Amino acid sequence: MARKTTQSWLLLAPILLLASACSDAVESGAQPAPAQPGANAASSAAGKKAGDYPAPIQALEAQGLEVMGTFKAPSGLTGYAGIAGGNPVSIYLTGDGSHALIGTLVDAQGNDAGADAMRDLVVKPMSERIWKKLENATWVQDGKTGAPRVIYTFTDANCPYCHSFWEAARPWVDSGKVQLRHVMVGVIRQDSANKAAAILKAPSPGNALADNERNQSSGGIKPMAAIPADVRPQLDSNERLMLELGFQGTPGILFQDEQGNVQRRSGMPQGNDLNVVLGPR
C-alpha cells in the first residue's frame, strides 16, 4: 500500500498545473518564474544507468521518476533533482542511503535548499524539451513571421475562452509584437475536430482560423464532413501533447519568460496577467 501511495504522490507533484476545461477555464493557472541562479553545486545525471543510484532512488525510478542530476544538501542529505509525471520533483537521500524524502527542504528562514539546483538541472532542460515539442506540433500561425514574442496556445475552434484570448491578443498580434501559434485540438464538441480539420486543410490556415474567430457568434467555420486521413494523426498528437503538458481543457497557453523558462496558463489570463503573457503592449 505504501508503494502505491508514493507513486500517486509522485504523479501529483507539487508543481502540477491547475488545469480546467473550456467551460470553466476562466481561472489562470499562473506559475511564477524560477529564482535567479545561485551557487549550489550540482551535477548532471547524463550517462547514468539503471542501478547506478542507491536503492530508494531506484525504487522511485521504477515508479516513473527520471533523475536529472544530484546536488549538495544540508544535514548529511544528498539531493536528487528529477521529473515525475512531467513535473519537477526534489528528493533527499538520507546519509546512510536507506531512505529518501520527497518534497521541499527549507531552512530556518524558509528558503528552499534545492531551488537553485532544481532550476538548473530540471526547469531549464524541461523548458527546452517542451519548447521543442511545441515547435514540432501541428499549429496555425497567427501573426507576423519574426515577431519577437511567440506564444503557443492549445485551441479548440468551438472554445469561447480560446476566442476571448484570440480577441484580447489582437493589439499585440496586429502590431507585430506577438505571434500566436494555435495548436489545434478537437475536444469541446462533437464537431470540434471537424472544424479543426477545416482550418488545417484550408488554402490559408491562418485566414481560416481568423474567419472562425470573427464568425464565432454565428457558429464559426463550417466543419468538414469527414476528417482527412492525414489530419487525424495530427489532431491526436496535439491532444496527447496537451494532456502531457498538464492541460485538461482549452486554452492552454505557453510562453517563455525573461529567463527563457516556459511559463504556462490554464484558461484565459485574467486582469494584469494578460500583460505578463503577451508582454509590453
Side-chain angles (χ1 to χ4, degrees):
M1 181 64 70
R3 182 180 178 87
K4 292 181 179 179
T5 302
T6 301
Q7 185 173 13
S8 299
W9 197 97
L10 270 173
L11 297 178
L12 297 175
I15 311 180
L16 276 171
L17 291 175
L18 297 176
S20 57
C22 181
S23 60
D24 60 355
V26 295
E27 185 174 350
S28 173
Q31 289 186 329
Q36 292 298 316
N40 277 27
S43 63
S44 170
K48 289 279 189 178
K49 299 178 181 179
D52 286 350
Y53 295 117
I57 305 301
Q58 291 184 46
L60 295 176
E61 286 183 305
Q63 297 177 40
L65 174 73
E66 178 185 359
V67 177
M68 302 295 289
T70 62
F71 57 94
K72 293 181 179 179
S75 303
L77 300 173
T78 300
Y80 287 79
I83 300 173
N87 298 280
V89 180
S90 302
I91 303 101
Y92 295 93
L93 186 73
T94 57
D96 61 4
S98 62
H99 294 83
L101 307 170
I102 304 170
T104 303
L105 183 69
V106 298
D107 62 17
Q109 289 72 45
N111 299 312
D112 182 354
D116 293 336
M118 290 296 292
R119 182 199 53 253
D120 295 338
L121 293 173
V122 178
V123 175
K124 183 177 179 181
M126 276 187 66
S127 291
E128 292 171 352
R129 284 187 192 181
I130 291 170
W131 207 249
K132 178 58 72 174
K133 288 182 178 182
L134 291 167
E135 289 177 335
N136 292 332
T138 300
W139 44 267
V140 177
Q141 181 173 325
D142 175 16
K144 296 180 181 178
T145 300
R149 192 175 188 87
V150 171
I151 298 172
Y152 288 91
T153 175
F154 288 95
T155 297
D156 186 299
N158 285 318
C159 174
Y161 300 111
C162 297
H163 173 68
S164 295
F165 183 57
W166 177 88
E167 198 168 48
R170 288 309 92 195
W172 285 266
V173 173
D174 293 343
S175 67
K177 292 182 177 181
V178 167
Q179 178 192 127
L180 296 181
R181 294 181 176 179
H182 296 267
V183 184
M184 302 303 301
V185 295
V187 297
I188 302 301
R189 297 178 188 166
Q190 188 172 0
D191 67 349
S192 288
N194 299 69
K195 286 186 176 182
I199 291 170
L200 293 175
K201 294 298 286 186
S204 172
N207 289 341
L209 174 70
D211 288 343
N212 179 73
E213 300 306 323
R214 293 191 189 103
N215 297 292
Q216 187 78 191
S217 61
S218 57
I221 195 169
K222 181 179 179 180
M224 296 189 76
I227 300 173
D230 60 332
V231 174
R232 173 56 72 184
Q234 295 174 332
L235 295 177
D236 289 345
S237 178
N238 283 355
E239 185 173 348
R240 285 194 300 271
L241 181 59
M242 182 181 77
L243 295 173
E244 176 187 334
L245 296 180
F247 299 108
Q248 299 296 323
T250 55
I253 301 165
L254 302 101
F255 62 98
Q256 291 177 316
D257 62 22
E258 293 180 357
Q259 288 75 41
N261 296 321
V262 174
Q263 293 276 331
R264 320 181 198 195
R265 299 293 188 271
S266 181
M268 173 67 190
Q270 298 297 295
N272 291 333
D273 193 45
L274 188 66
N275 295 303
V276 176
V277 174
L278 295 170
R281 187 163 177 171

